Amino acid sequence: MKHRKKYIAGFLLLYLAFTCLFTLLWLLKNLPWLDLPTIVFQMKVPLEGTEMGSFAGIILLDTVGSLSAAGAATALALALERRKRKKTRKAEEGATGETAETVRAAETGEAAENCEAAETGEAAEVCKAAGTEPAAENCKARKPAETGKTGKRFLLVSGVLFAAALIALLCQMDVFGYLYRQCVKTEIYDDYYVEPEQAELVFPEKKRNLVYIYLESMELSFADPEHGGIAADNYIPKLTELSLSETDFAYGNETELNGVVSTTGTTWTIASFVAQTAGVPLSIPIGRNAMGKGYSSFLPGAYTLGDILQKEGYRQMMLLGSDKAFSGMDVYLESHGGYEIIDYYRALEEHRLPTDDYKVWWGFEDCYLFAFAKEELTKLAEGDQPFALTLMTMDTHRTDGYRCEHCPDTFGNQYSNVISCSDTQVTEFVAWLQEQDFWENTTVVIVGDHPTMDGNYIQKLPGYSEDYQRRQYLAILNGAKEYTLEKTRKMTPMDLFPTTLAALGVEIPGDRLGLGTDLYSETPTLLEELGLETLNREFEKTSDFYNKRLLYGE
C-alpha cells in the first residue's frame, strides 16, 4: 500500500505540473499581458455573461491534456518497475547450482545427519558459519529484490517538475514582484491626483450631447505601417480616415495615427472604462476592499464622468451586447451616474432579438447594438435633457472575434475579417449620426478599450516587434474645441476623463481631473512627464489614499 501511494502522489504532482506548464504556454501564446492584479480583480467580481468559448482551449488542455500526460508518465514509470521486477525474478530463478544443491540437500539423509549433529560442537561451528560472508550472500540471493527505489525516484521527479512549472508560471505573471510591490507605497496620488468633485467645472450655457463608443480591442496595430500600424493590409481604413480628418491629438503628420497607451490597471475592459471615466487605474488589493461587500458599491470614493454629467442634468444610457453584470459593470454605472442600461438580457425581455432564446458570442452582435443605438438616440433627442449615450462593441473580442452574417471574407483570416467588419459598421453608424438633426450639438468619442488580448494574432502581423508601442484607437468628432498645439500628445486612458469634458466645452481649472490631463491644454500628461515605465511601476504599488478614499470612500 505504501508503495502504491508513492505512484498516486506522483501522478497528482505530475497532473499539477502539466496543468501549470500548459497554462503557461497558453498564456504566452494568447494572453501574454495577463497579470496577478487582473486575476485578483476577476476573483472579486461576478463572472456572469462570460463567453467561455474564449477559454475552451485552456480548459480542455488543463483537464484532458494534463490527465493524459500525467497518466502516460505514471504508466511508463510502472512499466519500468515491472520490467525491473521481472529481471530480478529471473536472476533469482537462475541462482547458482551450489545454492540449488544446498536446497535439495535439505531433503537428503546427509542433511538429516547434519541436523542430528546440531547439538555437537562440530554442528555448532557449522551453524555459526552461516553468518559468514558467503552464507550471507546466499541468504540475500533468496530475498525479493527491493524495487521501491523506482517509486521514490518517480515521486521525487514529479515533485521537482511541479515546483519548476509552478515557479515558471508565477514568474510569468510576476506574482512575486506583485506581492513585493503590495508592501511598497506610491505617492503618485498625493503628488498628482486632482479631486474631480472639488473642481470648479464650468459647462457651456447650451450643453452638448455625448456619444461615447468603446471599441473592443481596437488598436492601431491593425493599420498598415504607413498609418502607424504593423499589418500587411490596413484592416481599419475607414476608421483611419475618420481619425486623420478629426482629432487624435497628433501634429505634423498627415498619415500616421495617434492613440492611447495602456498602463498597469487599464488593460482590460472594466479597468479601461474606469480609467477613462474616473481618471484612475483599477487597482484591487488582495485583502480588504469594497468588492467584498456583495458588490453593492464600486469605487464609492471616485467622482466620475457619469457623476458629473448626472449632476448637470444629463440623461445617461449604456448599450452593450453582453451581460451588464460582468465585471461589476452594472454596479459601477448605476452608482456613478444612474445610467439606464440596455444589455443582452434586457434586449431578450423586450423581444428585440430574433428569438426569445437568441444568443451568439457574448449575447448579441454589434449589428444589433448599432441598430438599437439608432432607436434609442432618436428617443433621447426628442427629450428636453442633454444626453450621454455610451456604446460598447463586442464582436472584436478575442479569440478570433465573432464574424456575423454581414462580414465578408476579404482577408482569409477570421479576426482580420471581423476587425474590418467593425471598421465598416462603426463608420456607417457615424455617418448616420452626422445626418441627424441633433448632430450639430453632439460630440462623439471613439476609442479602443484596450489592446487586443489575442497576443498570438498580434505577434503574427508582419511588422510586429517587441519594441513596437501598441496603442488604442482614438478619434474625437465634432468637439467644442479644436486641437491647436504643435506637438503630438502622449496619453493614457486616464487623460480621456478630462479631455471628454473639454470636448463638450467644459472649462477645467488646472487642466487636470483625477490623474488625467486635458489633451487640448498645454499641461503635460503624466505619461509625458513621468514616462510609461515609471507610471507602471507606481501603479503597481499600493496606496493608502486609493484603498481608503477611492475603494471605500472614507
Side-chain angles (χ1 to χ4, degrees):
M1 179 62 69
K2 183 177 180 181
H3 177 65
R4 187 180 304 169
K5 287 181 178 179
K6 293 176 183 176
Y7 282 95
I8 294 174
F11 168 80
L12 293 175
L13 287 172
L14 276 180
Y15 171 75
L16 294 174
F18 282 115
T19 297
C20 291
L21 178 61
F22 291 151
T23 300
L24 174 63
L25 295 175
W26 187 85
L27 288 175
L28 288 172
K29 179 180 179 181
N30 296 282
L31 302 176
W33 55 269
L34 189 65
D35 54 18
L36 188 58
T38 307
I39 294 176
V40 169
F41 172 77
Q42 294 297 348
M43 292 171 61
K44 301 283 186 178
V45 298
L47 292 176
E48 286 91 340
T50 306
E51 200 292 302
M52 294 307 294
S54 301
F55 303 96
I58 187 57
I59 293 172
L60 183 64
L61 199 60
D62 276 353
T63 52
V64 178
S66 297
L67 284 172
S68 300
T74 305
L76 178 61
L78 287 170
L80 291 174
E81 177 164 331
R82 285 194 294 270
R83 183 179 179 184
K84 185 174 182 180
R85 284 178 179 273
K86 187 175 181 180
K87 286 184 177 181
T88 301
R89 283 196 298 270
K90 286 183 178 180
E92 291 176 354
E93 290 171 358
T96 62
E98 182 179 353
T99 302
E101 288 300 320
T102 302
V103 173
R104 286 195 296 271
E107 297 177 359
T108 64
E110 182 180 354
E113 290 178 5
N114 288 338
C115 292
E116 289 175 1
E119 296 180 0
T120 67
E122 183 180 355
E125 290 298 323
V126 172
C127 291
K128 289 179 183 178
T132 65
E133 185 173 341
E137 288 299 322
N138 287 337
C139 290
K140 288 179 182 178
R142 297 294 307 279
K143 294 180 181 180
E146 294 185 7
T147 55
K149 289 183 179 180
T150 303
K152 291 179 181 178
R153 290 169 181 165
F154 174 68
L155 182 59
L156 177 61
V157 171
S158 300
V160 171
L161 288 176
F162 169 61
L166 179 61
I167 291 173
L169 179 61
L170 295 178
C171 288
Q172 165 64 23
M173 299 174 64
D174 194 26
V175 172
F176 303 112
Y178 172 77
L179 294 177
Y180 166 74
R181 289 186 292 271
Q182 285 290 294
C183 300
V184 181
K185 294 183 179 180
T186 179
E187 296 181 352
I188 194 168
Y189 295 94
D190 304 290
D191 295 339
Y192 294 102
Y193 186 81
V194 175
E195 289 278 6
E197 191 170 10
Q198 297 176 8
E200 297 180 358
L201 304 176
V202 180
F203 275 73
E205 183 176 350
K206 185 178 181 180
K207 295 170 183 174
R208 298 181 65 81
N209 304 312
L210 173 65
V211 176
Y212 206 119
I213 308 174
Y214 288 88
L215 301 183
E216 171 63 44
S217 301
M218 188 61 70
E219 59 173 284
L220 302 188
S221 304
F222 304 148
D224 54 17
E226 179 185 358
H227 297 97
I230 55 175
D233 297 296
N234 189 350
Y235 301 133
I236 53 171
K238 297 172 184 177
L239 285 171
T240 296
E241 182 180 351
L242 191 64
S243 182
L244 293 176
S245 63
E246 297 291 342
T247 302
D248 66 355
F249 304 99
Y251 171 77
N253 190 322
E254 297 180 356
T255 61
E256 188 167 342
L257 299 171
N258 190 28
V260 181
V261 178
S262 287
T263 67
T264 296
T266 70
T267 55
W268 68 102
T269 299
I270 186 61
S272 180
F273 192 89
V274 167
Q276 294 185 40
T277 57
V280 294
L282 186 54
S283 177
I284 305 297
I286 291 178
R288 173 180 181 264
N289 65 75
M291 305 309 292
K293 301 194 300 182
Y295 316 111
S296 59
S297 62
F298 196 133
L299 294 181
Y303 196 70
T304 71
L305 177 65
D307 293 317
I308 293 171
L309 297 183
Q310 182 182 41
K311 182 180 178 182
E312 292 295 326
Y314 278 72
R315 183 180 175 187
Q316 301 187 86
M317 180 179 291
M318 160 68 89
L319 290 178
L320 67 165
S322 57
D323 185 348
K324 66 181 182 180
F326 179 67
S327 292
M329 178 68 78
D330 56 341
V331 178
Y332 182 76
L333 291 171
E334 290 165 359
S335 59
H336 292 289
Y339 285 76
E340 179 183 354
I341 305 174
I342 299 178
D343 70 341
Y344 163 68
Y345 287 105
R346 179 167 168 181
L348 278 182
E349 292 171 2
E350 296 179 353
H351 307 289
R352 300 174 77 166
L353 297 173
T355 64
D356 289 339
D357 61 349
Y358 186 85
K359 185 176 183 180
V360 299
W361 202 225
W362 288 68
F364 58 76
E365 307 97 312
D366 291 346
C367 58
Y368 287 105
L369 178 78
F370 291 117
F372 297 159
K374 293 176 182 178
E375 295 173 5
E376 297 304 326
L377 279 168
T378 301
K379 297 176 186 177
L380 289 170
E382 294 173 352
D384 56 2
Q385 294 175 263
F387 60 80
L389 176 70
T390 301
L391 308 179
M392 187 169 287
T393 67
M394 192 59 70
D395 286 0
T396 46
H397 202 286
R398 67 159 305 276
T399 298
D400 293 334
Y402 180 80
R403 185 181 165 210
C404 72
E405 60 182 5
H406 303 291
C407 297
D409 185 3
T410 305
F411 300 101
N413 174 281
Q414 175 159 313
Y415 202 34
S416 299
N417 288 328
V418 172
I419 293 165
S420 176
C421 189
S422 180
D423 174 76
T424 298
Q425 292 189 50
V426 174
T427 51
E428 286 180 350
F429 176 67
V430 169
W432 177 87
L433 284 172
Q434 293 171 332
E435 295 175 352
Q436 306 310 304
D437 293 338
F438 57 79
W439 170 255
E440 183 180 353
N441 195 46
T442 300
T443 294
V444 178
V445 178
I446 307 175
V447 61
D449 62 345
H450 52 72
T452 180
M453 299 175 185
D454 197 336
N456 185 46
Y457 176 85
I458 289 294
Q459 291 172 15
K460 289 182 178 179
L461 293 178
Y464 175 79
S465 72
E466 292 291 339
D467 298 329
Y468 176 73
Q469 177 63 69
R470 295 169 62 185
R471 294 166 294 167
Q472 293 132 248
Y473 178 86
L474 174 66
I476 296 182
L477 288 60
N478 203 27
K481 290 185 178 181
E482 290 186 11
Y483 182 64
T484 59
L485 302 185
E486 295 183 354
K487 63 178 178 179
T488 296
R489 303 307 302 262
K490 296 179 180 179
M491 51 192 156
T492 70
M494 278 77 76
D495 299 314
L496 272 295
F497 176 28
T499 301
T500 298
L501 289 168
L504 293 176
V506 179
E507 296 180 12
I508 306 172
D511 304 321
R512 280 181 171 166
L513 293 175
L515 295 179
T517 301
D518 173 11
L519 296 170
Y520 291 97
S521 73
E522 293 277 3
T523 304
T525 66
L526 294 191
L527 181 58
E528 292 168 338
E529 184 174 341
L530 302 177
L532 183 59
E533 183 177 347
T534 298
L535 269 185
N536 285 337
R537 184 169 61 246
E538 293 305 311
F539 289 158
E540 289 169 349
K541 298 176 183 177
T542 189
S543 166
D544 289 338
F545 172 84
Y546 191 103
N547 295 341
K548 294 178 181 179
R549 175 72 173 83
L550 299 180
L551 286 182
Y552 264 86
E554 295 178 354

